[in-house]
Amino acid sequence: MLDIAEELHRWVEQGREFAVATVVAVGGSAPRQPGAALAVDSDGTAIGSVSGGCVEGAVYDLCTQALEDGQTVVERFGYSDEDAFAVGLTCGGVIDILVTPVRGGVYPAALEAAVSGEAAALARIVEGPADLMGRALLVRPDGSYEGGLGGHPELDRTAAGEARAMLDGGRTGTVVIGEDGSRCGQPLTLLVESSVPPPRMIVFGAIDFASALVRVGKFLGYHVTVCDARPVFATPARFPEADEIVVEWPHRYLASTEVDGRTVLCVLTHDAKFDVPLLEAALKLPVAYVGAMGSRRTHEDRNKRLREVGVTELELARLRSPIGLDLGARTPEETALSIAAEIVADRRGGTGASLAGAHTPIHHDGPRPPAGRIGSVA
């Protein structure tokens, strides 16, 4: 639901009634992950997607039905060889869809938080007693919450605690509350959708490759900062799409700015006087990814210098070099694509291998690699 929050927020402000269909569980090669949503208003306007097209028509009908009868339902879509013409996923996966008519409650506040960039988590019951389906809580980073899941204060507190843990990691997914914690005689499954500010991409080195990487970073949804100690290069005219441009020595800026487990650091300076103090600091931070541009010879020299300043082998082991996937990239745009591809693979647990002829999953359902994995690009 939060994927399409901006448009839904406008619908709320306009007083339009609508229903939202949200992916709450997936199996096999499903095209969308939990949290993906499609919404339909009372005029029949639709936005978003739950399957990339496979079952959109049937889900659209479920939304219009929910607007008519006010009922929350869960529907499963899959693929059956025995009934190949039935509505289902041609990719062979399975998805469960929660369809909810949105009429007040905590939903307007959740959409407001998502649009304004505030951190908040929307927790909804997606499996449990029929009279509780779709009940929702909106949870803030400080643990406060509004809404309710069915009149049981202890259930609300338990759910708020689980949602806050998901929010702290910026994660969206399901969590099960056991029978004792649910206080309703059976386990409950919650879908927790985290709305957090965009992750940061900090690009060190105001070079032509950086300009291309800024554009790709913005496309991927990052808040992009360009940092360089040379004011003649770090200018808004050269990086019009950057959210922020900082003129400062890279290691000093890194020490003064806020980073977290979703931050990616791309070091494109390939100059030892910038790289060594910057990477010495970066390798100790719990960030998601760091890349350092340079040839293999530059990489070897950089590793030698890092060892000399006390960087351990364990810390160096976090450094993948050269940065990016092997695309044969030459131009700034191709190189930016190579770097971005590695960032996505690292985030999602992908191998970077070609899917053609491979036997690896198309969609990786397992846990992503630990935060803090670091990389470096020729």
Side-chain angles (χ1 to χ4, degrees), residues 282-348:
L283 287 166
K284 293 176 171 61
L285 295 175
V287 293
Y289 175 93
V290 175
M293 178 176 276
S295 66
R296 296 190 184 278
R297 179 177 178 179
T298 297
H299 165 69
E300 293 300 328
D301 177 71
R302 183 167 51 225
N303 274 6
K304 177 176 178 293
R305 293 171 184 267
L306 288 170
R307 290 186 179 97
E308 289 172 352
V309 298
V311 175
T312 68
E313 294 301 318
L314 184 61
E315 291 168 340
L316 280 177
R318 301 173 62 204
L319 179 64
R320 283 184 301 176
S321 181
I323 194 175
L325 299 185
D326 180 12
L327 306 182
R330 290 186 177 273
T331 69
E333 291 74 18
E334 290 172 347
T335 302
L337 179 61
S338 167
I339 296 170
E342 185 170 62
I343 290 171
V344 172
D346 192 78
R347 177 182 178 185
R348 300 300 186 189

Side-chain angles (χ1 to χ4, degrees), residues 28-30 33 348-356 358-366:
S29 188
Q33 293 300 301
R348 300 300 186 189
T351 65
S354 173
L355 292 173
H359 299 288
T360 56
I362 295 176
H363 305 289
H364 291 261
D365 298 325

Side-chain angles (χ1 to χ4, degrees), residues 14-376:
Q14 295 164 2
R16 296 158 72 173
E17 290 191 348
F18 58 92
V20 175
T22 307
V23 176
V24 297
V26 302
S29 188
R32 303 297 305 275
Q33 293 300 301
L38 179 147
V40 180
D41 74 355
S42 54
D43 293 330
T45 302
I47 58 172
S49 172
V50 292
S51 70
C54 299
V55 299
E56 310 297 282
V59 174
Y60 180 97
D61 291 340
L62 288 173
C63 287
T64 58
Q65 182 63 40
L67 283 170
E68 292 176 8
D69 61 25
Q71 298 298 308
T72 294
V73 299
V74 174
E75 189 80 16
R76 172 165 291 181
F77 294 93
Y79 179 81
S80 170
D81 290 332
E82 290 76 24
D83 190 10
F85 291 101
V87 175
L89 301 177
T90 58
C91 59
V94 176
I95 57 174
D96 289 345
I97 305 289
L98 173 73
V99 182
T100 305
V102 176
R103 292 167 179 163
V106 300
Y107 294 106
L111 296 171
E112 174 69 29
V115 170
S116 62
E118 299 175 23
L122 180 66
R124 290 184 281 170
I125 296 177
V126 298
E127 187 175 337
D131 61 329
L132 299 184
M133 294 295 290
R135 298 284 186 94
L137 278 180
L138 181 63
V139 182
R140 308 287 184 177
D142 62 1
S144 63
Y145 57 89
E146 55 189 280
L149 299 182
H152 302 284
E154 188 169 339
L155 169 59
D156 291 345
R157 287 193 293 270
T158 301
E162 296 286 355
R164 185 183 180 188
M166 299 278 282
L167 178 60
D168 288 344
R171 293 180 290 125
T172 288
T174 55
V175 61
V176 177
I177 297 178
E179 183 175 328
D180 291 341
S182 72
R183 293 297 183 231
C184 63
Q186 67 183 83
L188 297 176
T189 300
L190 303 178
L191 172 68
V192 179
E193 296 179 79
S194 293
S195 170
V196 291
R200 297 192 67 190
M201 172 184 283
I202 308 178
V203 181
F204 297 97
I207 63 175
D208 52 352
F209 288 89
S211 180
L213 185 56
V214 167
R215 296 196 297 274
V216 175
K218 291 297 297 178
F219 177 74
L220 290 177
Y222 285 93
H223 180 282
V224 183
T225 299
V226 175
C227 176
D228 197 300
R230 303 164 296 179
V232 68
F233 295 116
T235 65
R238 298 190 70 222
F239 301 96
E241 296 181 60
D243 295 293
E244 184 181 25
I245 298 173
V246 176
V247 179
E248 178 60 278
W249 277 76
H251 70 286
R252 292 175 184 166
Y253 176 66
L254 183 60
S256 66
T257 194
E258 185 175 339
V259 299
D260 60 26
R262 301 182 301 145
T263 302
V264 300
L265 308 177
C266 300
V267 182
L268 309 186
T269 47
H270 53 77
D271 184 327
K273 67 177 179 288
F274 296 120
D275 290 1
V276 172
L278 175 58
L279 288 174
E280 181 185 5
L283 287 166
K284 293 176 171 61
L285 295 175
V287 293
Y289 175 93
V290 175
M293 178 176 276
S295 66
R296 296 190 184 278
R297 179 177 178 179
T298 297
H299 165 69
E300 293 300 328
D301 177 71
R302 183 167 51 225
N303 274 6
K304 177 176 178 293
R305 293 171 184 267
L306 288 170
R307 290 186 179 97
E308 289 172 352
V309 298
V311 175
T312 68
E313 294 301 318
L314 184 61
E315 291 168 340
L316 280 177
R318 301 173 62 204
L319 179 64
R320 283 184 301 176
S321 181
I323 194 175
L325 299 185
D326 180 12
L327 306 182
R330 290 186 177 273
T331 69
E333 291 74 18
E334 290 172 347
T335 302
L337 179 61
S338 167
I339 296 170
E342 185 170 62
I343 290 171
V344 172
D346 192 78
R347 177 182 178 185
R348 300 300 186 189
T351 65
S354 173
L355 292 173
H359 299 288
T360 56
I362 295 176
H363 305 289
H364 291 261
D365 298 325
R368 54 168 287 182
R373 195 172 176 187
I374 294 189
S376 262

